[in-house]
């Protein structure tokens, strides 16, 4: 619970609690927003670190007979980590901008900017998971297809692989969506509340 949440709780529980002016409230909202964006930056950095560690620890699959997929895997990793680095840079930039600004108008603009970055970050990760499972499906289907067999047998194999990959992908996507909802959506909700409160104060 940050300083602003503590203030609201005390204000609601004690009618005689000292009243503060708009400047003090804006200062607390500023500190709260800075803290939230800082947490977003730190969490994304931890996620990147864990991803790199897991990629180093997990054994790489043998793709000597399918060099195309080896290239696709390498290119996908480069694109993924470049994109994540881009988002982390934006989170850090948002944090420094919010912490250094003294203008309410600029603060409101930075909050909207941060919210957009977080939403794009979540969408990118979900779409990349879907893409990864699609590539896995294509590769696995090619490996399992035996041209010596009849087309009907190969077709059934492809259907079975597609169903299996789809079920696993849906499970993983649901887990990641739940994680993002718990972590990032919770932080975004607080950031949105700060934005609405600042907007209200500006209109008074």
């Amino acid at each position: 619970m940050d300083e602003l949440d503590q203030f609201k709780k005390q204000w609601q529980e004690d009618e005689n609690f000292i009243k503060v002016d708009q400047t003090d409230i804006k200062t607390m909202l500023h500190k709260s927003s800075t803290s939230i964006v800082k947490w977003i930056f730190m969490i994304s950095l931890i996620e990147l670190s864990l991803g790199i560690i897991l990629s180093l620890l997990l054994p790489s699959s043998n793709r000597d007979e399918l060099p195309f997929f080896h290239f696709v895997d390498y290119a996908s990793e480069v694109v993924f980590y470049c994109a994540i680095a881009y988002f982390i840079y934006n989170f850090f930039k948002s944090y420094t901008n919010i912490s250094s600004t003294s203008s309410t108008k600029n603060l409101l603009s930075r909050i909207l900017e941060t919210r957009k970055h977080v939403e794009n970050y979540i969408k990118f990760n979900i779409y990349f998971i879907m893409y990864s499972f699609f590539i896995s499906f294509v590769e696995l289907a090619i490996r399992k297809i035996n041209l010596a067999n009849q087309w009907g047998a190969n077709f059934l194999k492809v259907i079975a692989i597609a169903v299996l990959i789809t079920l696993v992908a849906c499970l993983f996507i649901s887990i990641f969506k739940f994680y993002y909802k718990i972590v990032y959506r919770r932080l975004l909700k607080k950031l949105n509340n700060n934005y609405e409160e600042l907007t209200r104060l500006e209109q008074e």
Side-chain angles (χ1 to χ4, degrees):
M1 184 180 295
D2 57 26
E3 181 182 359
L4 182 61
D5 291 331
Q6 292 175 352
F7 171 79
K8 288 180 178 179
K9 183 178 180 181
Q10 290 176 325
W11 181 77
Q12 291 172 351
E13 293 176 352
D14 188 357
E15 294 181 356
N16 297 321
F17 189 70
I18 185 172
K19 300 298 186 292
V20 295
D21 57 23
Q22 285 191 7
T23 302
D24 294 328
I25 295 177
K26 288 180 181 179
T27 300
M28 285 186 285
L29 288 168
H30 189 184
K31 289 182 179 179
S32 174
S33 300
T34 302
S35 176
I36 292 169
V37 178
K38 180 181 179 181
W39 273 108
I40 291 173
F41 167 68
M42 292 175 63
I43 292 171
S44 63
L45 202 59
I46 292 172
E47 290 173 353
L48 176 62
S49 301
L50 289 175
I52 294 175
I53 292 172
L54 287 175
S55 66
L56 293 175
L57 293 178
L58 294 177
S60 58
S61 58
N62 183 15
R63 289 174 169 170
D64 292 338
E65 69 279 14
L66 296 173
F68 171 75
F69 287 100
H70 181 75
F71 168 77
V72 170
D73 185 53
Y74 176 78
S76 299
E77 284 190 7
V78 171
V79 172
F80 176 77
Y81 285 117
C82 286
I84 295 301
Y86 166 77
F87 283 114
I88 290 177
Y89 167 76
N90 282 325
F91 293 152
F92 177 74
K93 186 178 178 182
S94 296
Y95 166 66
T96 55
N97 287 337
I98 287 179
S99 60
S100 62
T101 187
S102 58
S103 168
T104 302
K105 183 179 180 181
N106 287 338
L107 178 57
L108 290 170
S109 176
R110 298 305 180 186
I111 290 176
L112 287 177
E113 186 180 78
T114 302
R115 185 172 64 184
K116 181 179 179 181
H117 289 322
V118 173
E119 290 173 349
N120 289 337
Y121 175 73
I122 294 173
K123 289 178 182 178
F124 171 79
N125 281 284
I126 297 298
Y127 289 151
F128 191 85
I129 292 172
M130 295 170 64
Y131 160 80
S132 299
F133 275 103
F134 174 75
I135 294 298
S136 298
F137 160 71
V138 174
E139 180 181 2
L140 190 58
I142 292 175
R143 287 178 181 273
K144 295 299 181 182
I145 288 177
N146 187 347
L147 297 178
N149 295 337
Q150 294 182 352
W151 71 269
N154 287 329
F155 179 75
L156 289 177
K157 282 184 180 180
V158 171
I159 294 298
I161 292 171
V163 171
L164 178 62
I165 293 291
T166 300
L167 291 175
V168 175
C170 289
L171 176 62
F172 268 81
I173 291 173
S174 298
I175 292 173
F176 274 91
K177 282 186 175 180
F178 179 74
Y179 165 75
Y180 289 131
K181 181 179 179 181
I182 294 296
V183 178
Y184 289 100
R185 295 298 182 189
R186 182 171 175 269
L187 293 171
L188 276 184
K189 184 178 179 180
K190 287 187 174 183
L191 203 60
N192 288 336
N193 290 339
N194 289 356
Y195 178 85
E196 292 174 0
E197 187 68 18
L198 283 166
T199 303
R200 185 185 65 80
L201 291 174
E202 282 293 288
Q203 293 174 350
E204 290 182 355

